[in-house]
């Protein structure tokens, strides 16, 4: 009997995370296109396929994660907004000191004394600023300050400042929890290995089914399905190997030759890139 065809070896261990996830996603689609019932006849259980699909989904999700989390962007925007509100608060109180209205000037003097210890908090570390804003808000809600705040029409600014500060702390806590959850997750390297191992197990079962079917004339239909699936999956492997090899070759071609040396070995002037 002729040697039964084999699954082509991939270069998946060399792929970056995005290409690795894409490779397994493409292989999973080939398996899912066949259908669970057909795969069962190839000794690939629904449980095994589901486990592989879950790992592939996890790999895909991780490969799509941005270097900077959405929460990081949110905290930055919120920090900018609360700094703006603080600057407006300090400006309006300072303007009140120059007011021609005696009542407003008196109110500004009262608040200026309270705010002196808080001036410059925009330059503090984010978490320190959060707590100092809380202290500022408490001080301005006290009886001796409340009337002055109303006189200078600062209540709306303080309400906005409290809302933004609370939101900042909420988002920051969510980011900390997210980091902790990711820390407890399986490492991406181990997840990649698991996906590779699961796919290899599935392919071994499919090929073993083909070997057995090739010895049984009554299993011609099953043998045909195995051959077709193996051809399709090998096509995926070849395609990704080509993409990887082309990408690697392109990177090599884009590497700069040794600066300061021409093709004939003579030194030449090379302008410095700015």
């Amino acid at each position: 009997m002729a040697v039964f065809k084999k699954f082509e070896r991939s270069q998946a261990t060399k792929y970056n995370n995005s290409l690795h996830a894409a490779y397994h996603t493409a292989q999973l689609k080939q398996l899912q296109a066949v259908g669970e019932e057909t795969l069962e006849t190839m000794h690939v259980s629904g449980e095994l396929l589901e486990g592989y699909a879950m790992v592939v989904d996890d790999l895909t999700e991780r490969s799509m994660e941005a270097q900077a989390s959405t929460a990081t962007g949110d905290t930055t925007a919120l920090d900018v907004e609360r700094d703006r509100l603080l600057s407006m608060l300090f400006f309006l109180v300072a303007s009140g000191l120059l007011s021609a209205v005696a009542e407003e000037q008196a109110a500004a003097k009262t608040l200026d004394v309270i705010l002196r210890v808080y001036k410059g908090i925009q330059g503090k570390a984010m978490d320190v600023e959060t707590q100092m804003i809380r202290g500022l808000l408490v001080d301005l809600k006290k009886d001796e300050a409340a009337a002055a705040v109303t006189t200078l029409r600062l209540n709306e600014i303080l309400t906005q400042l409290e809302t933004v500060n609370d939101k900042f702390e909420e988002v920051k806590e969510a980011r900390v929890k997210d980091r902790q959850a990711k820390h407890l997750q399986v490492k991406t390297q181990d997840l990649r290995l698991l996906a590779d191992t699961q796919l290899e197990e599935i392919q071994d079962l499919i090929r073993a089914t083909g070997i057995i079917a090739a010895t049984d004339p009554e299993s011609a239909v099953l043998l045909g399905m195995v051959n077709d699936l193996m051809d399709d999956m090998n096509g995926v492997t070849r395609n990704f190997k080509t993409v990887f090899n082309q990408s690697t070759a392109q990177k090599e071609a884009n590497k700069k030759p040794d600066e300061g040396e021409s093709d004939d070995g003579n030194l030449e002037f090379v302008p410095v890139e700015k």
Side-chain angles (χ1 to χ4, degrees):
M1 183 183 106
V3 176
F4 195 76
K5 71 170 65 178
K6 298 180 179 181
F7 280 102
E8 292 193 19
R9 285 182 169 274
S10 75
Q11 295 175 303
T13 56
K14 298 179 182 179
Y15 298 164
N16 62 30
N17 289 341
S18 295
L19 191 62
H20 184 269
Y23 167 71
H24 279 287
T25 298
Q27 293 290 25
L28 177 61
K29 285 182 179 179
Q30 294 298 330
L31 294 168
Q32 291 173 331
V34 172
E36 289 189 20
E37 186 175 340
T38 300
L39 288 176
E40 289 279 359
T41 65
M42 299 180 190
H43 303 91
V44 178
S45 67
E47 183 180 359
L48 178 57
L49 182 65
E50 183 180 356
Y52 177 54
M54 290 176 62
V55 173
V56 173
D57 285 345
D58 201 351
L59 280 174
T60 301
E61 182 180 348
R62 293 192 191 190
S63 71
M64 294 174 66
E65 288 178 350
Q67 291 297 317
S69 68
T70 302
T72 301
D74 287 346
T75 54
T76 300
L78 290 168
D79 187 49
V80 170
E81 175 60 12
R82 65 183 185 177
D83 285 352
R84 184 187 72 81
L85 292 169
L86 283 167
S87 297
M88 187 181 300
L89 173 65
F90 294 140
F91 172 77
L92 290 175
V93 171
S95 297
L97 293 173
L98 303 176
S99 176
V101 180
E103 185 181 13
E104 291 183 354
Q105 190 176 101
K109 288 180 179 178
T110 298
L111 296 182
D112 183 60
V113 173
I114 297 172
L115 293 179
R116 284 176 188 174
V117 296
Y118 295 106
K119 289 182 179 179
I121 66 175
Q122 298 100 315
K124 300 290 184 180
M126 288 186 177
D127 290 337
V128 173
E129 182 178 344
T130 299
Q131 297 308 315
M132 291 187 71
I133 290 175
R134 289 196 178 283
L136 179 152
L137 292 169
V138 168
D139 286 344
L140 294 183
K141 288 179 181 179
K142 292 178 180 178
D143 293 340
E144 60 269 28
V149 168
T150 300
T151 298
L152 293 181
R153 297 173 292 282
L154 301 176
N155 290 291
E156 180 60 28
I157 290 178
L158 295 181
T159 298
Q160 292 180 32
L161 180 60
E162 184 170 19
T163 299
V164 173
N165 200 52
D166 288 344
K167 183 63 176 177
F168 177 91
E169 191 166 39
E170 177 186 330
V171 173
K172 186 69 180 293
E173 289 178 356
R175 185 176 63 177
V176 171
K177 291 180 180 178
D178 182 57
R179 285 180 175 175
Q180 178 63 16
K182 288 179 179 178
H183 177 71
L184 297 175
Q185 286 179 341
V186 176
K187 293 181 180 178
T188 300
Q189 182 178 357
D190 294 334
L191 202 62
R192 284 176 55 129
L193 179 59
L194 179 57
D196 293 341
T197 302
Q198 288 175 322
L199 178 59
E200 184 177 353
E201 180 182 355
I202 290 172
Q203 290 178 331
D204 285 345
L205 292 169
I206 293 170
R207 182 170 184 268
T209 300
I211 292 174
I212 296 172
T215 65
D216 182 5
E218 296 183 2
S219 299
V221 174
L222 177 59
L223 178 60
M225 290 191 295
V226 169
N227 277 318
D228 289 344
L229 179 56
M230 290 185 68
D231 287 342
D232 290 340
M233 295 183 75
N234 279 337
V236 169
T237 299
R238 286 193 296 271
N239 179 55
F240 275 84
K241 285 166 71 174
T242 298
V243 171
F244 174 73
N245 291 334
Q246 288 177 342
S247 176
T248 301
Q250 186 65 42
K251 289 178 182 178
E252 290 296 325
N254 289 338
K255 282 185 178 180
K256 295 180 180 180
D258 293 339
E259 291 187 358
E261 184 173 337
S262 63
D263 293 340
D264 59 5
N266 295 323
L267 295 177
E268 63 177 2
F269 173 78
V270 178
V272 177
E273 293 185 356
K274 296 183 180 180

